[in-house]
Amino acid sequence: MRAGWVMSFAAALLCTACDEGRAPVAGGADGGADAAAARDAAPADVDFGWPTVDPDPDGGVHSGPAFGDGGAGGDGGAPPAACTGKTGPTGGHVVAIVSGGLPRTAILHVPPSYDPREPAMLVFNFHGFGSADYQEELLTRMDDASDARGFLVVYPAGVAAGWNAGFCCGDAWTGGVDDVGFVRDLLAEIGAAYCVDPRRIYATGMSNGAFLSHRLGCEASDIFAAIAPVAGVLGLAPAACQPSRPVPVLEFNGTSDPLVPYEGGTPLLGVPVAGWLNFPSVADTMAIWRAKNGDVAPGATIYDHGDATCVRWDGGAPVILCTIDGGGHTWPGGVPLPTLGKTSTDISATDTMLDFFAANPLP
């Protein structure tokens, strides 16, 4: 890891408004003038190594645990009504809207098999801090899965390459951008042109996008049937996370992630530092979701292969943690990010989450 961008990233995440022991604050504006000053002092060209090409489009792996009916909402329910008057084209194109007074965009990928009369699954896939919509498209290799499985996938673009996910990241955070509102507006725009199944809308994301996926699970569980964050944790205080129902959660984290420490603490340091941004641990994040979902049973290992182990807890909705031993700030089975650590080839985050999503429609 190069020392220059390490220090730049640390400066970008500095939060002198966060007193030691103070709970993280929901929302972006509460970061205060000190956080904004730290942000403005940080170089804008932090190099995270996000991909610009996929060097091996056929790479990755296609393995993971089986989910059955998911344990929540997998009863099928009444089939959604067929659509009429949906005229959106197939292929990839940009969706542009205005949300919260800001121009916003997203890349929407629609598979060739899409039928405008048949309600289709829709996955929101959010990029990491400093990344872009097209880079998330490359990183996760989800377009190929979309074409193979016949679902829609949208890659939204954050403000200044970031998301207001609670207490991270960048201008979107310090400026208090309403990204939850943006997601609702974007869904409305897509739903006006495409036949979207309202029971099969899901959220995933990488890094800062994973944090946003957690926030959507807390604040938009009326829309999102399940979430699958990758290399992120919950960026809200537990009391601020109030889902309207149990939310199925599938989480992927590496034990050697330099930016989102597995044991919690300050990015790049892995221990709490007073006056700096401190992330909760992966275990604490899982415990919060388990409590929200009312689980009472001990966890059970449902997948153990190579460096990947997945443990499942059952309650009102399943909570599953897939841990990558020695894994970095990376997408398992995705395009490798050498500057951010090891990318597992022992499990595919994309394929695994899509199986999880299929097993967990909205009740």
Side-chain angles (χ1 to χ4, degrees):
M1 236 182 286
R2 289 180 293 139
W5 78 259
V6 167
M7 295 309 298
S8 297
F9 183 77
L13 292 182
L14 178 62
C15 180
T16 55
C18 298
D19 298 330
E20 185 175 11
R22 175 183 169 189
V25 182
D30 293 328
D34 289 336
R39 172 208 70 206
D40 294 338
D45 59 347
V46 179
D47 179 9
F48 296 92
W50 301 120
T52 55
V53 296
D54 186 345
D56 182 14
D58 297 322
V61 292
H62 302 280
S63 61
F67 297 107
D69 67 0
D75 58 357
C83 295
T84 59
K86 303 296 184 179
T87 59
T90 59
H93 60 281
V94 174
V95 179
I97 65 171
V98 174
S99 178
L102 299 173
R104 306 295 299 268
T105 62
I107 296 172
L108 177 66
H109 180 83
V110 182
S113 62
Y114 166 74
D115 183 338
R117 299 165 297 179
E118 296 294 325
M121 183 173 89
L122 172 63
V123 176
F124 281 74
N125 191 342
F126 301 97
H127 63 74
F129 180 52
S131 183
D133 45 13
Y134 80 93
Q135 291 174 318
E136 185 71 5
E137 190 175 19
L138 288 168
L139 174 69
T140 63
R141 296 173 167 147
M142 199 168 279
D143 284 359
D144 289 342
S146 165
D147 291 345
R149 299 186 185 223
F151 67 93
L152 282 61
V153 55
V154 62
Y155 307 91
V159 170
W163 303 103
N164 178 8
F167 58 87
C168 189
C169 293
D171 287 7
W173 166 44
T174 58
V177 172
D178 183 6
D179 278 321
V180 176
F182 163 55
V183 169
R184 291 182 180 275
D185 292 343
L186 181 58
L187 175 60
E189 183 75 9
I190 295 171
Y194 291 90
C195 190
V196 175
D197 186 343
R199 292 189 66 207
R200 296 190 294 147
I201 302 170
Y202 304 95
T204 185
M206 171 69 189
S207 188
N208 187 196
F211 279 73
L212 181 61
S213 299
H214 278 292
R215 184 167 196 172
L216 292 170
C218 295
E219 299 180 8
S221 60
D222 57 316
I223 292 175
F224 290 96
I227 62 172
V230 179
V233 288
L234 179 64
L236 299 172
C241 180
Q242 296 294 334
S244 60
R245 60 174 181 85
V247 177
V249 177
L250 170 63
E251 175 95 1
F252 296 85
N253 293 93
T255 62
S256 297
D257 188 329
L259 302 185
V260 181
Y262 193 85
E263 301 297 333
T266 299
L268 305 171
L269 300 179
V271 294
V273 178
W276 288 69
L277 183 63
N278 289 294
F279 293 148
S281 69
V282 172
D284 285 347
T285 292
M286 294 295 96
I288 291 167
W289 278 114
R290 290 165 55 197
K292 300 293 180 185
N293 289 349
D295 96 87
V296 294
T301 299
I302 60 172
Y303 185 79
D304 187 0
H305 179 69
D307 59 28
T309 304
C310 301
V311 177
R312 172 173 174 154
W313 294 267
D314 280 307
V319 174
I320 300 171
L321 171 62
C322 292
T323 295
I324 308 302
D325 185 27
H329 196 69
T330 54
W331 186 281
V335 174
L337 302 174
T339 63
L340 295 179
K342 182 179 75 173
T343 297
S344 176
T345 58
D346 288 320
I347 190 170
S348 165
T350 293
D351 288 337
T352 301
M353 70 176 61
L354 292 174
D355 291 342
F356 179 72
F357 291 160
N360 288 282
L362 196 68

